[in-house]
Every structure is written in structure tokens, then in C-alpha cells.
Amino acid sequence: MAFTLEERQQLNIHGLLPPCFLSQEVQVLRILTNFERQASDLDRYILLMGLQDRNEKLFYKVLTSDIEKFMPIVYTPTVGLACQLYGLAFRRPRGLFITIHDRGHIATILKSWPENVIKAIVVTDGERILGLGDLGSYGMGIPVGKLALYTACGGVKPQECLPVMLDVGTDNEELLKDPLYIGLRHKRVRGQAYDDLLDEFMQAVTSRYGMNCLIQFEDFANANAFRLLHKYRNIYCTFNDDIQGTAAVAVAGLLAALRITENKLSDHTILFQGAGEAALGIANLIIMAMQKEGTAEDEAIKKIWMVDSKGLIVKERSSLTLEKKRFAHKHDEMKNLEDVVKDIKPSVLIGVAAIGGAFTKEILKDMASFNKRPIIFALSNPTSKAECSAEQCYQVTQGRGIFASGSPFDPVTLPDGRTLYPGQGNNAYVFPGLALGIVSCGVRHITDEVFLTTAEVIAQQVSEKHLEEGRLYPPLMTIQDVSLKIAVKIAEQAYSNNTASFYPEPKDKEALIRSQVYSTDYDDFMAESYAWPQEAMKIQT
């Protein structure tokens, strides 16, 4: 409906469309009107995914028109429900579904994908979707949602992105009995066969798309997440968002909080509720940040405590993983989080165990009694898994709590009249800008320093006014600008430390990055349409 009369005549579609000409802005208005008419957030998700299938330009125009409004729909928390009901919401496949039975043929499957240039892949095996557990093939909603944010928040071109589901089965009995389930109907395959599938996949991707193709691992179970990251990080251009992306956004929030507490990160005692991928990733990046302040590594480790499903992690505990042993201190065993908080007296409490309500009123009161400005991060997703709400934190601490969450919470007005806007520690602040920077200059191996740099850039975008409002992150409406700054800084570092592979080195790194950014306007599409009138007809009608 946006084609002019001349364009319709040239494309030989005049008469096949109603005579009215609608601008892209009017089309956005139509989508927004239909969006508001939907009865639930799941219906809104389905509406937007349908738009993505038939008109990508308009889809991203809508998302970027109000990213703060649409991000909770296309990603957390609504995407969690969408994944649980993926069989019901399924309309049209997006991305590639590769199964354990496709071993030996993955290269052929990749060739069936119509795009020859892929710069970024998000891949999952569906075993640990958000805080919801094993959703098998229903987990495809996560790579699709992540890559939508690659484009909406970072400007990575959608045609250069590929979501992948590695289906090795599921141990979720409800899904195996579900007639609508779209995945393999058998238990998860593990061991050598699983490893062989991953090895073949990584090799096939780089053979087809090159060593510079970014591969983001998403929502793998703890046992595989760390192992695969260590196995592949120095061979391929890869990272694990649950470990490293979560670490970057959490540390960004902590760095911003330091401007309120007016001290150093190494002055704090940090307690984690959880000791999985997210907790360990955050803890390791905190150590790096403390070392940058001048604190020795062993002293930094002493500042960090962790509680898992068995209680406080201590040296006397048997059967600790190598990653957990690093944070096991000499201390009596303790089971209850409230008791641990009373004993350790942390100044920073971080929840990443997906145990809804874990930060009880008693815990929040204790945190407020130990600290003038307690730092409380309830980072678990979706909202139902949050350790506490923003309102609970602010009310119990009488507005002194420095709060951030993984899922969005509404502003809270305190009895004294102040209104606080809780910061959402969403990984979307990290991976779109990081990906844009990586693919723009051809970084082949992603180091932990990249994530600390990303955290620093995000924290720098938080103004004094934001801090006064309770925000530890820049407003989501500025996320495209934040992503651009992250990408430019990554490119500058890559060329300064010789990790970039695209030469000659551009004099103006920002101009290079901006030239890579996707345009949501129809103008670019119109110019391309004349060469492919049938494709234009398919998309526009």
C-alpha cells in the first residue's frame, strides 16, 4: 500500500492493490491500533511475529517507534510464555531446525538457507529456557526474539542473522505427551553423540559463512554452557549470552550504583542467590573489574559469596564443580538464605536462581539495616521468577535500596512523593551493540575484556538525573545510541590490539559502524524492488 502509482505500474501490480496510497507512518499507526486491540500479551506477540513474517521493514519500524513498549512483548517476559505455548502460537517456521539425526548432513541443511551472507547466529538446544527449564524445540522463540533485538536495538541487518534450534530431544514429559509439540519426541541425547553434533555444527557454520560469523550460545544447561564456551571460545567467534552477556549488564549496573554509594567495587561484599551460569559469569567479570581498580585476584574472590540449592558454598562441601570451587570459602555450612544474609552482611545481593520471592521482607530489612544504600539486583526472568519486586524493595528499604531487575517493573511512588524508575538489567543493552561492533571489524575471538568494556560504556550512559530517578541503566528509548557507542568502542579496541581482521583500518570508526546499520525505511526497499518485482509483490501483499 506504500507503493506510488509509478512504482505499481513498473512492478505490474497496479489494480491488484486498493487505490489508496498509505505511507509507512500510517501503516505503523494501523499496527499500533491493532496491537492495542489484542486481549493479551501473547496475542500481541503473535500479531508482531506475523508482521515480521510478512513485512520486515514495517516490523522493525514498529519496534523502533517505541522500543520500551515492544521489547517486553518480543522478548522477556512475554517470550517465555510464547515459548511455553509455541506449538499453539506456531504459524510459520523461522530459522533452521537441526536435529541430532541430521549428523553428517548439517552442511547440506545450511545450504538450504536462502541467504549466502550470514554474520550472526543465535543457537539454543532448548534445555534451559529463561527460568522455565527444558522446553525442547519450543525454545526456538528465544533465538528468534534475540535476533529481532539485534536489529531493533543494534541495527544488525536481519537478512544477515540466522536463528538455529539444535533439537536433541527433550526430558520434559509434558511436551513429549503434547500433541501440538513440534520437536523430536524422545529423551535428550547426551554424551559423545551430542558433542559430535555441536562440533559438526560449528565447523559447518564457519565453512559456509566464514570464521568471522558470530555464534551466540543461548539457554544451554549449566553443564554444557561452561564446557562449550571453554571448548570453542578460542577457536571460533563465539560467546555465551547467559554467562557473559548477563555478566556485562549486571556489572554495568554495579558500576552505575558505585556513583550512588561513592566507593569502589572492591569495597563491597557481594552475595549471590544462585551459582549457575549467570552467577558465575557475573562473579568472574566483577573480579576483572576489581582487578582493574587495583585489587589482587585472591582478595577480589574473598569479596564474593554464593548460595546454591544446597546452601552456602563453602570449602568443606564435597562434589563442587571447578567453577564453584573458586568461590568456596572457609565457613560453616548454612542452608537458609535469610541466615546467610544475617551472617555475611553483604552490601550487594544478586538473585539469579529463578526462585520467585527469594528476597523476603526479612532479607530486605536486614540489607537495609547493614547498609545505608543496599544494592539489590533481582535479575531472574520471567517476572514470576523475580526474587522480589521493585515495590517490595523500595518500600521495605524506605527508598534507600538501589534496585535492578531482569524483567521490567512499573515506577514506584514512595510515601514521601518521590517516584523511582527501577532499572531493567536486560541483556539487550549488551548483545546488539557487541554484535554490531564484532561483525563490523571482523573480530574472530571474543575476550572477557570486551564484556568489561561493554559494561563500562553502558554505565557511562547513565546520567546523574537517571541515578536520582532510581535508574541504573540508560532509558530503553536510548538503546540504539547506547549500542552504537558500544560498537564503536569495541571497534576502536579491536584495531588498537590487533584483534580486528577487516583492513585497511578505517579512520572514522563511527562512520564505519553507521554504514552497517539497517534502515527501517521503505526507500531502500523500493530501490531494491525493481530488480526483484516478484519478491516485492510477495512481501508487500
Side-chain angles (χ1 to χ4, degrees):
M1 293 293 292
F3 283 126
T4 65
L5 177 60
E6 180 184 5
E7 288 163 344
R8 296 180 189 201
Q9 291 171 336
Q10 289 179 320
L11 292 170
N12 199 29
I13 58 174
H14 180 53
L16 300 179
L17 297 175
C20 185
F21 304 99
L22 299 182
S23 68
Q24 193 177 22
E25 287 68 28
V26 173
Q27 292 182 351
V28 169
L29 176 62
R30 183 195 303 181
I31 298 299
L32 293 177
T33 303
N34 277 298
F35 182 87
E36 297 299 340
R37 286 164 54 87
Q38 303 305 307
S40 68
D41 282 345
L42 180 62
D43 291 333
R44 295 182 182 100
Y45 173 88
I46 293 171
L47 171 75
L48 291 176
M49 292 303 104
L51 176 62
Q52 185 182 20
D53 284 339
R54 70 179 184 273
N55 191 329
E56 230 169 28
K57 288 278 188 180
L58 186 58
F59 170 75
Y60 287 111
K61 193 75 168 181
V62 169
L63 257 59
T64 55
S65 71
D66 191 345
I67 194 69
E68 197 161 1
K69 179 176 186 174
F70 294 111
M71 187 185 292
I73 303 298
V74 299
Y75 203 59
T76 56
T78 306
V79 74
L81 176 61
C83 285
Q84 289 177 300
L85 301 174
Y86 209 71
L88 183 65
F90 188 79
R91 297 292 186 274
R92 175 179 170 183
R94 292 191 70 84
L96 283 180
F97 292 81
I98 299 173
T99 78
I100 189 71
H101 308 304
D102 294 321
R103 281 176 299 161
H105 307 285
I106 295 179
T108 302
I109 292 174
L110 288 177
K111 287 179 182 177
S112 68
W113 188 250
E115 298 290 346
N116 293 321
V117 177
I118 295 295
K119 294 184 178 179
I121 288 174
V122 175
V123 59
T124 186
D125 69 354
E127 189 170 5
R128 194 202 63 82
I129 298 299
L130 301 175
L132 302 170
D134 186 350
L135 296 185
S137 221
Y138 281 2
M140 182 53 130
I142 298 298
V144 170
K146 285 279 184 180
L147 288 172
L149 297 185
Y150 264 53
T151 302
C153 301
V156 180
K157 296 172 183 173
Q159 68 269 25
E160 296 177 350
C161 298
L162 174 59
V164 176
M165 175 72 219
L166 296 179
D167 191 344
V168 298
T170 179
D171 292 335
N172 187 323
E173 290 292 341
E174 289 185 15
L175 292 184
L176 291 174
K177 297 174 183 176
D178 182 0
L180 299 179
Y181 183 56
I182 62 174
L184 294 178
R185 294 180 181 274
H186 59 63
K187 294 286 188 179
R188 282 188 173 270
V189 174
R190 304 185 185 276
Q192 192 60 50
Y194 178 90
D195 286 359
D196 289 346
L197 177 76
L198 267 294
D199 285 345
E200 183 183 346
F201 170 73
M202 298 297 283
Q203 292 165 9
V205 165
T206 51
S207 293
R208 177 155 175 75
Y209 303 122
M211 292 300 295
N212 294 313
C213 182
L214 172 63
I215 306 171
Q216 173 181 326
F217 278 69
E218 191 68 39
D219 287 356
F220 283 72
N222 287 354
N224 288 321
F226 285 104
R227 184 173 63 86
L228 295 174
L229 177 61
H230 294 316
K231 181 177 183 179
Y232 295 134
R233 66 182 304 171
N234 295 320
I235 304 173
Y236 302 102
C237 178
T238 187
F239 74 99
N240 185 298
D241 186 52
D242 303 296
I243 299 172
Q244 297 164 292
T246 302
V249 77
V251 170
L254 291 175
L255 294 177
L258 295 179
R259 289 159 56 191
I260 299 174
T261 58
E262 297 181 333
N263 55 10
K264 297 193 301 182
L265 193 54
S266 51
D267 294 327
H268 289 271
T269 299
I270 301 160
L271 175 64
F272 284 88
Q273 162 68 2
E277 299 167 46
L280 292 164
I282 297 168
N284 288 325
L285 199 62
I286 286 173
I287 290 170
M288 184 179 293
M290 287 185 180
Q291 287 178 293
K292 194 168 181 178
E293 291 178 341
T295 304
E297 181 180 358
D298 57 342
E299 289 300 314
I301 292 172
K302 291 176 184 177
K303 301 280 186 178
I304 298 172
W305 297 77
M306 292 190 178
V307 173
D308 64 7
S309 59
K310 297 178 182 177
L312 186 65
I313 294 178
V314 295
K315 284 190 178 294
E316 289 72 19
R317 172 102 70 85
S318 60
S319 303
L320 286 172
T321 64
L322 186 63
E323 290 82 12
K324 289 184 181 182
K325 279 183 180 178
R326 191 182 190 199
F327 300 100
H329 305 304
K330 192 168 181 59
H331 193 283
D332 293 336
E333 291 193 23
M334 303 182 77
K335 300 292 186 183
N336 185 275
L337 181 62
E338 288 187 2
D339 295 336
V340 174
V341 170
K342 282 183 169 67
D343 188 78
I344 301 297
K345 293 181 172 57
S347 53
V348 179
L349 182 61
I350 301 176
V352 281
I355 301 175
F359 296 170
T360 62
K361 184 176 180 179
E362 187 66 26
I363 287 174
L364 296 174
K365 284 176 63 177
D366 286 339
M367 288 294 294
S369 69
F370 308 146
N371 306 284
K372 181 180 178 182
R373 299 301 303 269
I375 300 174
I376 297 163
F377 284 9
L379 299 181
S380 293
N381 282 313
T383 309
S384 61
K385 301 292 184 179
E387 288 75 14
C388 69
S389 69
E391 186 174 15
Q392 289 167 340
C393 174
Y394 291 140
Q395 286 185 348
V396 174
T397 65
Q398 298 177 324
R400 292 188 287 117
I402 302 172
F403 179 83
S405 59
S407 291
F409 283 102
D410 292 331
V412 177
T413 300
L414 300 175
D416 61 11
R418 285 185 298 152
T419 298
L420 298 177
Y421 298 83
Q424 186 189 355
N426 195 311
N427 288 20
Y429 282 109
V430 175
F431 60 80
L434 182 144
L436 182 63
I438 294 294
V439 303
S440 295
C441 59
V443 173
R444 290 190 175 175
H445 306 301
I446 305 172
T447 64
D448 286 333
E449 285 77 12
V450 169
F451 294 95
L452 183 55
T453 296
T454 299
E456 291 169 346
V457 172
I458 296 168
Q460 289 163 5
Q461 305 312 306
V462 181
S463 68
E464 292 302 320
K465 184 175 184 295
H466 295 151
L467 293 175
E468 290 173 6
E469 294 174 340
R471 302 181 193 269
L472 296 182
Y473 299 95
L476 278 173
M477 67 182 70
T478 68
I479 197 166
Q480 291 172 306
D481 188 53
V482 174
S483 295
L484 180 69
K485 286 181 168 61
I486 291 170
V488 171
K489 188 64 175 179
I490 288 173
E492 289 173 349
Q493 283 194 343
Y495 283 107
S496 67
N497 61 23
N498 297 318
T499 57
S501 63
F502 294 164
Y503 285 89
E505 178 181 347
K507 291 182 180 179
D508 189 337
K509 311 280 187 310
E510 184 173 337
L512 167 73
I513 301 297
R514 288 188 182 279
S515 71
Q516 304 296 312
V517 172
Y518 174 71
S519 171
T520 61
D521 295 335
Y522 280 158
D523 293 344
D524 293 342
F525 177 78
M526 301 298 184
E528 297 163 1
S529 298
Y530 299 117
W532 299 283
Q534 294 305 312
E535 184 67 9
M537 178 67 181
K538 181 181 73 174
I539 294 174
Q540 290 302 317
T541 62

XYZ file of all heavy atoms in Angstrom, residues 8 51 112 184 314 347 403 420 503 518 541:
96
model
N 3.833 1.063 -8.767
C 2.882 -0.024 -9.013
C 2.830 -0.380 -10.496
O 2.738 -1.555 -10.855
C 1.487 0.383 -8.514
C 1.407 0.592 -7.012
C 0.027 1.001 -6.540
N 0.051 1.403 -5.139
C -1.017 1.432 -4.350
N -2.203 1.083 -4.838
N -0.919 1.815 -3.102
N 3.596 -10.018 11.656
C 4.092 -8.865 10.905
C 5.532 -9.083 10.463
O 5.895 -8.762 9.329
C 3.985 -7.599 11.772
C 4.542 -6.314 11.161
C 3.781 -5.941 9.893
C 4.476 -5.176 12.184
N 20.510 -24.961 2.480
C 19.098 -24.741 2.151
C 18.622 -23.366 2.613
O 17.562 -22.910 2.188
C 18.224 -25.831 2.789
O 18.203 -25.713 4.202
N 11.418 -33.264 18.353
C 11.641 -34.710 18.427
C 10.983 -35.278 19.681
O 11.115 -34.716 20.765
C 13.144 -35.016 18.466
C 13.954 -34.684 17.214
C 15.427 -35.010 17.440
C 13.431 -35.435 15.986
N 30.829 -23.563 50.521
C 31.981 -23.499 51.421
C 32.989 -24.575 51.036
O 32.665 -25.526 50.322
C 31.544 -23.673 52.889
C 30.664 -22.508 53.321
C 30.804 -24.996 53.088
N 26.751 -6.134 51.128
C 26.267 -4.816 50.707
C 25.600 -4.915 49.339
O 24.871 -4.005 48.939
C 27.421 -3.820 50.655
O 28.487 -4.318 49.861
N 18.034 -0.633 43.243
C 17.386 -1.831 42.708
C 17.551 -1.949 41.199
O 17.505 -0.951 40.463
C 15.893 -1.786 43.058
C 15.101 -2.957 42.540
C 15.070 -4.154 43.227
C 14.370 -2.853 41.359
C 14.326 -5.233 42.761
C 13.624 -3.921 40.881
C 13.608 -5.113 41.588
N 10.331 6.483 41.755
C 11.556 5.808 41.338
C 11.267 4.898 40.149
O 10.236 4.216 40.112
C 12.138 4.995 42.498
C 12.566 5.805 43.730
C 13.046 4.885 44.843
C 13.661 6.810 43.363
N 40.698 -5.059 7.082
C 41.636 -3.969 6.821
C 41.466 -3.473 5.388
O 40.957 -4.224 4.547
C 43.073 -4.452 7.073
C 43.398 -4.573 8.541
C 43.154 -5.756 9.243
C 43.925 -3.494 9.249
C 43.434 -5.862 10.590
C 44.211 -3.584 10.610
C 43.967 -4.771 11.269
O 44.246 -4.864 12.616
N 21.134 -1.137 9.778
C 19.947 -1.441 8.970
C 18.971 -0.268 8.968
O 18.731 0.359 9.999
C 19.278 -2.684 9.563
C 17.956 -3.088 8.948
C 17.897 -3.622 7.668
C 16.768 -2.981 9.677
C 16.687 -4.028 7.123
C 15.563 -3.396 9.143
C 15.523 -3.919 7.863
O 14.322 -4.328 7.338
N 2.301 -7.611 -0.484
C 0.892 -8.006 -0.471
C 0.674 -9.187 0.455
O -0.457 -9.515 0.735
C 0.416 -8.389 -1.881
O 1.166 -9.511 -2.333
C 0.581 -7.231 -2.839
